[in-house]
Amino acid sequence: MKEYYDRKAAEGTIAQDGWIKGGIDFLLEIDLDGFLQNIADLREGEGKKKLSHSFSLPNIGKQALKHSNSGKDANLLWDNAAFVFGLGEKGNLRLKSMIEAIDQWMGQTSDAGVLAVRSFLQRGLENRCHFDPALNHPEYGKIMQEGSAKISFRVLQTSYRAVFLSPEVASALERAEGTEDPNSWIGTCLVTGEQNTAVEATHPVIKGIRNAQPSGANIVSFNKDAFNSYSKTQSFNAPVSKVVASRYVKALNTLLDSPRQRLNIGDASVVFWAEKQSAFESDFSFFFQEPEKKDSDAETERVKSLFESVKTGAYAEDSGDTRFFILGLAPNIARISIRLWQVGTVSEFSAKIREYFDDFTIVKPPKEPEYYSVWRILVNIAVQDKSENIPSNLAGDFMRSILEGTPYPITLLQAVLRRIRSDTKYRVKPVRAALIKAYLNRYHRFYPDQRYKEVEWELDTNQMSVGYRLGRLFAVLEKIQEEANPGINATIGERFYGAAGTTPVTVFANLLRLKNHHLVKLESKGRVIYFERLLGEIMEHLKVFPAHLNLHEQGLFAIGYYHQRQAFFTTKKNVDLA
């Protein structure tokens, strides 16, 4: 993470030490005496979704990311309206804190802009009526009174767009960064190995973790005595230098704020980056997230580019030796937990992702997506097909198996089989069949079994698995019933799939008897002959109906059922046979 900060700092795209990326909604335009002349609205966009204008802002402490609620930790020359105008029960404390921040960090300054801001705040502290032109502004007054708008200042007689852009402010922050607090705890940084360096007691907060505290949370945090050791308190138990703590949090917040370099997989927020700028870094999220409809063709092209990279051994124009990092974070009760951490090269990860897409290839209807995103796979095994019901650990385990090229978690197979049994309307969707195929084939690549024949992407009449053949048989019996009774309310698929796919002996004898009644109803003798031949071909290698199918055979049952159903709709000769 520190390396990513160094890379972005060299590019000039991340805030330097002493600064932090943040948004400003309004600039209060004041004169040299501290009187309001105008309010400049910097927000961008339309309607209620207006976004703050991004700046590098003075970062004099952790309150730039999260206030302590003490009212005494104002930012330097910018803050929310509650601090700038001294609103609420702690209004006086907040205003005094704004003034004290200027006095502490700017000292005996001669900067006209800074002095004008101090005058504006001091006048308001002495007489709140001084703020009335802002708080009662016909257009922005209500927003100001709410207290959450981010505000800074512009002094009209100076040349800087905002007061904090003055070189004197930058010099003050630079001096502060170079000054070591005599009360700091000195130790060895676990990240860089630097010795005798000032260690950060409490790390800045990380924002943007899905389902974590909106105000931010920490990876490194020791908030109870039981977590401490050797009389060390707070984050001295895991010493990281002040500089490195600030940099890694900035880097992580930058990644979490970037839609191109983060993914939401289940309850985990996954970020990723390369040691240098690369096309793979830009495209990585598209391999796993659900594409927007308008961009679906572009997503497909990215995946095709990934497959074409097999010829070169690297991804597109990238060097295959470029290191690539993947970090998955999930909320815990009091802090952020590391759910996933992977380090490899672009070449290694691209090969693993190609293998993942290969695993999931299967015959499917024309309107089905050509490639399945991780989200689409997981949501189709969640209760009611809702993303909030995706099992929390399953997403991380699935992602890890993709990136490591290891067998998919058995919990994935268990979940999809449960969902198929419970979903009486849709049963074996293409994505569910693809998941079972992927799980079984990858499992047997790692644990070879001479009796196992790899599942093909479409119907395989040479597949001798009992589960697969029973699935095909069940699909044929259902098809016969559907043709004999058009518009039937409940087919055998809706009523008996669960029992047929787990305890075949309990239902198949009865279903085969019912089949004879259905065949009699068919008007086309050619269809009767076709179905009888098909039943004979399937049952030729079925000696008995098993009392029970294990998990793998239950999966093969589902695929056999799916393959046979797809064959009915894709093979014209079956339909036209007379």
Side-chain angles (χ1 to χ4, degrees):
M1 190 62 67
K2 177 186 174 296
E3 290 177 352
Y4 180 73
Y5 173 89
D6 293 340
R7 171 192 146 190
K8 301 304 282 186
E11 295 172 359
T13 55
I14 198 168
Q16 298 290 332
D17 293 336
W19 300 82
I20 190 169
K21 285 288 184 183
I24 295 295
D25 299 311
F26 298 95
L27 286 178
L28 301 183
E29 297 183 337
I30 61 177
D31 60 22
L32 289 173
D33 294 322
F35 288 93
L36 182 68
Q37 303 298 312
N38 187 37
I39 297 177
D41 185 356
L42 304 184
R43 295 172 301 166
E44 301 162 350
E46 299 294 334
K48 295 181 179 180
K49 295 185 178 181
K50 288 186 176 181
L51 301 176
S52 305
H53 184 77
S54 180
F55 285 96
S56 284
L57 300 170
N59 180 26
I60 62 170
K62 301 174 186 66
Q63 69 271 20
L65 285 170
K66 179 182 180 182
H67 278 298
S68 66
N69 203 33
S70 67
K72 299 179 180 180
D73 55 355
N75 288 298
L76 177 63
L77 301 170
W78 69 277
D79 217 305
N80 59 48
F83 273 81
V84 172
F85 299 116
L87 304 177
E89 293 181 0
K90 298 179 180 178
N92 281 345
L93 279 175
R94 289 166 175 161
L95 264 178
K96 288 178 181 177
S97 180
M98 290 287 295
I99 296 169
E100 289 168 359
I102 293 173
D103 292 343
Q104 177 185 349
W105 294 88
M106 298 304 299
Q108 297 298 317
T109 181
S110 59
D111 188 290
V114 174
L115 292 174
V117 173
R118 193 189 187 288
S119 179
F120 173 85
L121 298 169
Q122 185 65 44
R123 289 178 188 277
L125 179 62
E126 295 169 357
N127 183 357
R128 285 296 201 278
C129 292
H130 182 68
F131 295 147
D132 284 350
L135 296 176
N136 296 325
H137 191 279
E139 186 174 359
Y140 305 125
K142 186 175 180 181
I143 299 174
M144 300 295 175
Q145 292 174 31
E146 290 173 352
S148 59
K150 296 294 191 301
I151 294 174
S152 189
F153 304 87
R154 176 172 179 255
V155 178
L156 296 173
Q157 288 85 348
T158 65
S159 59
Y160 310 114
R161 186 183 184 191
V163 171
F164 58 76
L165 297 177
S166 161
E168 192 161 332
V169 176
S171 297
L173 292 174
E174 187 175 344
R175 288 194 301 272
E177 285 294 312
T179 303
E180 193 168 285
D181 185 351
N183 297 318
S184 294
W185 192 80
I186 304 300
T188 300
C189 177
L190 292 179
V191 177
T192 63
E194 183 182 0
Q195 299 179 345
N196 300 318
T197 185
V199 172
E200 184 61 86
T202 56
H203 292 205
V205 294
I206 296 161
K207 290 189 172 185
I209 301 296
R210 191 178 184 185
N211 299 326
Q213 290 289 339
S215 57
N218 298 100
I219 293 176
V220 180
S221 173
F222 297 80
N223 59 346
K224 291 186 178 180
D225 292 342
F227 304 147
N228 299 329
S229 59
Y230 296 98
S231 301
K232 296 177 181 177
T233 59
Q234 297 179 309
S235 297
F236 299 140
N237 287 273
V240 176
S241 76
K242 289 178 178 289
V243 172
V244 171
S246 172
R247 290 179 177 180
Y248 92 76
V249 171
K250 282 181 185 177
L252 189 48
N253 282 328
T254 298
L255 288 166
L256 288 165
D257 193 44
S258 169
R260 280 295 190 89
Q261 286 183 260
R262 70 164 291 169
L263 289 165
N264 290 324
I265 305 293
D267 70 336
S269 299
V270 179
V271 294
F272 43 88
W273 66 98
E275 63 181 339
K276 62 182 181 181
Q277 191 170 7
S278 70
F280 187 75
E281 179 184 76
S282 301
D283 290 349
F284 184 83
S285 64
F286 296 110
F287 299 139
F288 297 102
Q289 69 186 5
E290 186 69 4
E292 297 181 13
K293 289 183 179 180
K294 63 180 181 180
D295 294 330
S296 59
D297 291 341
E299 311 305 311
T300 301
E301 288 305 313
R302 284 187 175 90
V303 177
K304 288 180 178 177
S305 294
L306 181 68
F307 279 99
E308 290 172 3
S309 70
V310 176
K311 302 172 184 176
T312 62
Y315 183 76
E317 73 279 5
D318 290 334
S319 167
D321 295 331
T322 300
R323 287 193 305 160
F324 197 78
F325 308 88
I326 304 165
L327 174 64
L329 303 170
N332 209 333
I333 295 174
R335 57 187 59 81
I336 299 166
S337 62
I338 306 296
R339 185 64 62 78
L340 176 70
W341 173 240
Q342 293 287 320
V343 180
T345 65
V346 166
S347 180
E348 290 168 346
F349 281 129
S350 60
K352 296 294 191 299
I353 297 170
R354 286 195 301 271
E355 186 178 15
Y356 150 68
F357 283 119
D358 275 335
D359 287 341
F360 278 80
T361 55
I362 199 164
V363 61
K364 62 186 71 168
K367 293 184 178 180
E368 196 74 5
E370 187 170 352
Y371 302 104
Y372 291 127
S373 68
V374 169
W375 177 86
R376 182 176 286 265
I377 293 165
L378 292 175
V379 81
N380 273 280
I381 64 173
V383 176
Q384 297 180 324
D385 290 1
K386 292 184 177 180
S387 56
E388 58 265 30
N389 294 331
I390 295 173
S392 57
N393 291 328
L394 187 55
D397 292 343
F398 182 34
M399 193 79 173
R400 186 179 296 107
S401 65
I402 293 172
L403 299 173
E404 292 180 348
T406 55
Y408 299 115
I410 191 172
T411 48
L412 208 58
L413 177 63
Q414 294 167 336
V416 70
L417 291 176
R418 282 196 302 270
R419 189 70 190 101
I420 288 171
R421 287 194 293 270
S422 64
D423 189 357
T424 57
K425 185 176 182 180
Y426 296 108
R427 291 296 188 198
V428 191
K429 294 181 179 180
V431 62
R432 293 173 184 163
L435 172 55
I436 297 171
K437 168 185 173 285
Y439 174 88
L440 293 174
N441 285 349
R442 183 171 288 203
Y443 176 88
H444 285 285
R445 284 202 294 272
F446 276 80
Y447 307 104
D449 183 346
Q450 292 183 350
R451 296 169 296 177
Y452 178 79
K453 184 180 186 297
E454 187 169 284
V455 178
E456 301 292 339
W457 74 286
E458 61 180 348
L459 180 66
D460 181 6
T461 57
N462 295 317
Q463 175 63 260
M464 293 297 121
S465 158
V466 172
Y468 187 88
R469 288 195 163 261
L470 286 173
R472 289 184 61 199
L473 176 61
F474 191 76
V476 173
L477 295 175
E478 183 182 43
K479 180 66 172 171
I480 293 172
Q481 182 191 37
E482 289 172 347
E483 293 196 12
N485 303 280
I488 189 171
N489 290 329
T491 67
I492 63 171
E494 295 172 57
R495 298 174 58 192
F496 298 111
Y497 180 94
T502 53
T503 54
V505 71
T506 62
V507 295
F508 269 103
N510 186 44
L511 292 178
L512 286 170
R513 284 194 296 271
L514 288 173
K515 168 265 301 180
N516 295 326
H517 298 289
H518 297 147
L519 285 174
V520 170
K521 294 181 180 181
L522 295 179
E523 296 181 359
S524 170
K525 296 301 179 182
R527 292 299 284 168
V528 173
I529 294 171
Y530 163 71
F531 281 126
E532 287 180 338
R533 285 177 178 173
L534 186 55
L535 289 169
E537 179 261 312
I538 294 172
M539 297 187 65
E540 180 182 0
H541 300 283
L542 288 174
K543 305 302 180 187
V544 294
F545 294 120
H548 177 75
L549 295 179
N550 62 33
L551 277 180
H552 283 205
E553 287 294 338
Q554 289 177 38
L556 286 162
F557 180 96
I559 298 176
Y561 173 80
Y562 174 79
H563 275 170
Q564 189 62 64
R565 293 284 300 179
Q566 287 300 305
F568 286 137
F569 296 111
T570 57
T571 308
K572 291 184 178 180
K573 65 180 181 181
N574 288 349
V575 178
D576 300 332
L577 191 63

